[in-house]
Amino acid sequence: MTGGCPMSLPTTRTTPFDPPAALAALRAEEPVSPLRYPDGHVGWLVTGYDLARAVLNDARFSVGVMRSVVGHPVETPETLGASDESDALRGRMDFADAPEHGRLRHGQLRHFRISEIGRHRDAIEHIVDEPLAAMAQLGPPVDFVHAFALPISSLAICHILGVPGTDRHYFEEPTSLLMDPRSSYKDRAAAALDFRAYTERVIGEKRAEPGDDLLSELIGYEDFDDEDLPGIVQLLFEAGHETTANMLSLSVLALLSEQDGWQRLHGDPAAIEAAVEELLRYLTIVQTANVRTALEPVELGDVVVEAGQSVAVSLAAGNRDPVKFSDPDALDLRRDARGHLAFGYGPHMCLGQHLARLELRIALAKLVDRFPSLHLAADAGEAEFVDDERFIYGVRNLPVTWLE
Ligand code: HEM
């Protein structure tokens, strides 16, 4: 409880799976509480499920300011490879309000609908088969993150966009550097320039030689102009690979840490679907939504958010709200976890959610089938978690093993 005094965003975790405990106390006592942001200004933090949805679905809150609730900015013009803020925001639906947001999202939505994503099932199955075979060939133990999770999410976004899988290091390296709070500002700005140069190169190549893929469609879409494209494509690369890779690795860690968690999924697609939803809720790897700014005074619970004030929504705290989910701190693989906030809510709800689900379901089903005896390796206790200062929660390495 803050007692009206602004506190900094709680970030210290005491277990790998639970959000910082202080968030639960805030949710119970003061679900809209004063928050001191890293640059010193004071705004609000929302921790309750219903209030979180109310903010995320309210057009009186803008996303168009690049602010962060953690130690480093979500983005700055320089870390987007741009010279000023308006250039940096071009094409970025995550930082656009209506009507610009609708223009950018509408042009891509069709390709990310559940039916359209379903058309990629065979390709994703094929993508999953490769690292699976490589893992088997390598033999135990392996680092699950690099052997399996990262290749799958990166190759899936390469496939959707229509760029060669061998390009993955062009976006994996800069995004990992950009998201790492340990990187210097100079290194992040340099990585952003490399990333922008790569994006511009693939757009140029695709323009010269279009194919049957999303990138060619985006280039040909009449509502997008040339200046929009680098931001659009960069966001898809960025949003599309680290999130799913972290989700996959943490899911495997959570399942292997549960009694019978792994075995329960064997040969049961319905159980896998339910488990994926519950894992999304339980792990909530995008811990906090992009900071919103009130455009006018808004009543929120017991407080009035004044125009210009910042609001951070803790998706992790909302997903553990007992008002919505009974026994919310338990991982219950049989629960109906639909309605969780792991993909956000409202107009900015994750564009790639059906792709992420498809990847997670196929990857887990094939893993359980191929490696029924998978378990954590002896040194799994030394797995390094992605620092709690970060926006996205994850794990850098995860040693796993199995019986051959
Ligand atoms: C498990 C994996 C993923 C998780 C947990 C996740 C989570 C989220 C969340 C919470 C938001 C909303 C943030 C906010 O409102 O401030 C979001 C937005 C977005 N996500 Fe995802 N995401 C995942 C995978 C993907 C994938 C695979 C793609 C693309 C291929 C993608 C593309 C996007 C885009 C473009 C947005 C911005 C949408 C908008 O502003 O309208 N995401 N994601």
Side-chain angles (χ1 to χ4, degrees):
M1 192 171 56
T2 67
C5 259
M7 65 189 288
S8 302
L9 183 74
T11 53
T12 308
R13 286 177 178 248
T14 45
T15 79
F17 304 125
D18 295 318
L23 290 173
L26 284 174
R27 189 183 52 228
E29 311 269 350
E30 209 178 355
V32 185
S33 53
L35 179 71
R36 185 170 300 284
Y37 285 69
D39 65 1
H41 84 275
V42 173
W44 301 98
L45 173 66
V46 173
T47 41
Y49 177 88
D50 290 328
L51 289 163
R53 295 219 312 178
V55 172
L56 297 175
N57 202 27
D58 188 332
R60 293 174 296 171
F61 292 106
S62 161
V63 289
V65 181
M66 299 188 289
R67 277 190 183 142
S68 164
V69 284
V70 286
H72 75 114
V74 176
E75 304 282 10
T76 66
E78 290 75 22
T79 62
L80 286 162
S83 51
D84 61 39
E85 188 154 319
S86 71
D87 182 25
L89 296 178
R90 287 295 306 237
R92 299 283 307 213
M93 74 174 88
D94 51 340
F95 293 120
D97 294 327
E100 175 66 356
H101 176 257
R103 180 180 76 87
L104 292 168
R105 189 164 166 122
H106 183 75
Q108 302 177 58
L109 197 57
R110 182 167 68 79
H111 305 282
F112 287 95
R113 289 222 166 92
I114 195 161
S115 51
E116 191 60 21
I117 288 299
R119 293 200 313 120
H120 297 287
R121 171 174 285 279
D122 289 352
I124 307 278
E125 294 211 346
H126 184 68
I127 284 170
V128 173
D129 285 340
E130 280 182 37
L132 212 54
M135 244 172 90
Q137 200 169 11
L138 262 164
V142 301
D143 169 19
F144 183 80
V145 175
H146 291 92
F148 192 80
L150 256 180
I152 286 172
S153 57
S154 293
L155 294 174
I157 196 68
C158 286
H159 158 75
I160 297 278
L161 281 167
V163 301
T166 44
D167 274 12
R168 50 183 273 225
H169 67 100
Y170 288 115
F171 58 88
E172 274 181 12
E173 283 157 25
T175 40
S176 132
L177 217 143
L178 282 166
M179 301 293 283
D180 192 335
R182 299 168 306 182
S183 324
S184 71
Y185 194 78
K186 200 166 146 242
D187 287 348
R188 289 177 41 225
L193 282 180
D194 288 348
F195 190 14
R196 176 62 67 123
Y198 165 67
T199 319
E200 285 172 356
R201 174 165 70 75
V202 286
I203 292 170
E205 286 170 1
K206 209 40 99 177
R207 204 186 294 281
E209 216 173 305
D212 176 20
D213 51 54
L214 177 59
L215 192 45
S216 306
E217 291 267 348
L218 296 178
I219 291 169
Y221 188 65
E222 57 189 18
D223 274 4
F224 294 157
D225 51 44
D226 289 358
E227 286 77 42
D228 293 328
L229 284 170
I232 291 177
V233 176
Q234 217 162 318
L235 174 60
L236 292 175
F237 273 132
E238 246 176 63
H241 83 282
E242 274 231 347
T243 42
T244 316
N246 278 317
M247 187 57 212
L248 194 48
S249 301
L250 284 171
S251 296
V252 165
L253 175 61
L255 288 167
L256 296 181
S257 306
E258 280 282 298
Q259 177 90 22
D260 298 333
W262 198 241
Q263 286 71 23
R264 213 179 291 163
L265 303 185
H266 198 256
D268 188 346
I272 288 182
E273 275 194 26
V276 164
E277 275 338 280
E278 169 65 348
L279 287 160
L280 282 161
R281 178 198 73 84
Y282 182 69
L283 298 166
T284 315
I285 55 153
V286 178
Q287 305 175 79
T288 317
N290 282 340
V291 174
R292 270 59 173 175
T293 306
L295 297 171
E296 56 183 86
V298 181
E299 247 181 69
L300 197 60
D302 292 339
V303 312
V304 174
V305 178
E306 299 296 346
Q309 285 193 313
S310 308
V311 180
V313 173
S314 171
L315 303 174
N319 270 342
R320 298 290 184 102
D321 190 338
V323 166
K324 172 68 183 169
F325 300 105
S326 60
D327 197 8
D329 293 326
L331 173 66
D332 174 358
L333 297 173
R334 291 199 184 92
R335 124 175 28 236
D336 179 0
R338 283 176 301 177
H340 63 71
L341 302 173
F343 290 121
Y345 184 69
H348 289 276
M349 192 167 183
C350 181
L351 181 76
Q353 58 180 294
H354 301 304
L355 175 61
R357 283 193 176 98
L358 187 66
E359 288 176 47
L360 293 167
R361 287 171 188 168
I362 293 177
L364 286 178
K366 282 188 179 263
L367 265 173
V368 173
D369 189 47
R370 176 65 187 78
F371 298 110
S373 65
L374 196 77
H375 54 280
L376 297 173
D379 53 351
E382 284 152 38
E384 204 190 331
F385 291 93
V386 174
D387 202 62
D388 47 25
E389 282 170 66
R390 261 178 54 151
F391 179 52
I392 296 176
Y393 183 58
V395 59
R396 287 201 174 93
N397 62 311
L398 181 64
V400 293
T401 188
W402 60 92
L403 306 174
E404 282 195 285

